[in-house]
């Protein structure tokens, strides 16, 4: 699990985009095909998409990190805030976090989602 968190931290620290990008995190090339997205991951995307529909967006990515393949929901906004939920390849929730600029703060899923409802 630490390898996954370290990958997200290092990748985001290099710069991130508000939406899938050809060159920066999250990469457009890692967008998940709709038919491959587990229901739990689709639910997370729907939550975020509904919460930020007028000032951000939510996308599902599929990424190989080391020996693991994961899905992640990435939320980009028109500001410096963002959110992330990571799932294993079967759709089992692993961890969540929120962004302030390139800083990624790991926190319980409920706390990350609550932060979306009332950003600090």
């Amino acid at each position: 699990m630490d390898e996954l968190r370290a990958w997200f931290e290092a990748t985001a620290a290099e710069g991130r985009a508000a939406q899938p990008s050809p060159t920066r995190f999250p990469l457009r090339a890692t967008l998940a095909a709709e038919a491959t997205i587990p229901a739990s991951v689709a639910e997370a995307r729907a939550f975020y998409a509904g919460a930020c529909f007028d000032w951000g967006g939510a996308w599902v990515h599929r990424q190989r990190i080391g020996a693991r393949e994961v899905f992640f929901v990435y939320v980009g906004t028109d500001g410096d805030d963002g959110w992330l939920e990571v799932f294993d390849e079967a759709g089992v929730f692993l961890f969540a976090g929120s962004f302030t600029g390139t800083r990624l703060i790991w926190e319980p899923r409920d706390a990350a989602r609550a932060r979306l409802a009332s950003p600090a």
Side-chain angles (χ1 to χ4, degrees):
M1 196 77 71
D2 289 338
E3 174 188 27
L4 294 176
R5 288 179 197 240
W7 184 89
F8 283 103
E9 290 168 3
T11 303
E14 293 173 3
R16 65 183 184 91
Q19 58 189 357
S21 166
T23 58
R24 292 176 35 193
F25 177 80
L27 292 172
R28 190 176 301 139
T30 64
L31 284 168
E34 196 64 34
T36 68
I37 300 171
S40 57
V41 180
E43 179 279 322
R45 176 186 54 196
F47 168 80
Y48 287 105
C52 68
F53 70 93
D54 62 345
W55 47 268
W59 298 270
V60 175
H61 295 264
R62 189 173 193 162
Q63 177 80 46
R64 179 161 293 283
I65 300 171
R68 297 189 71 173
E69 183 138 343
V70 298
F71 285 96
F72 65 92
V73 175
Y74 174 79
V75 180
T77 70
D78 58 7
D80 283 341
D81 295 329
W83 287 265
L84 178 72
E85 287 193 15
V86 181
F87 301 80
D88 71 11
E89 63 187 310
V92 175
F93 173 77
L94 299 175
F95 47 86
S98 58
F99 290 99
T100 299
T102 57
R103 184 170 172 241
L104 181 52
I105 303 160
W106 299 113
E107 57 194 340
R109 174 194 258 175
D110 292 345
R113 288 186 176 196
R115 188 181 308 280
L116 178 72
S118 57

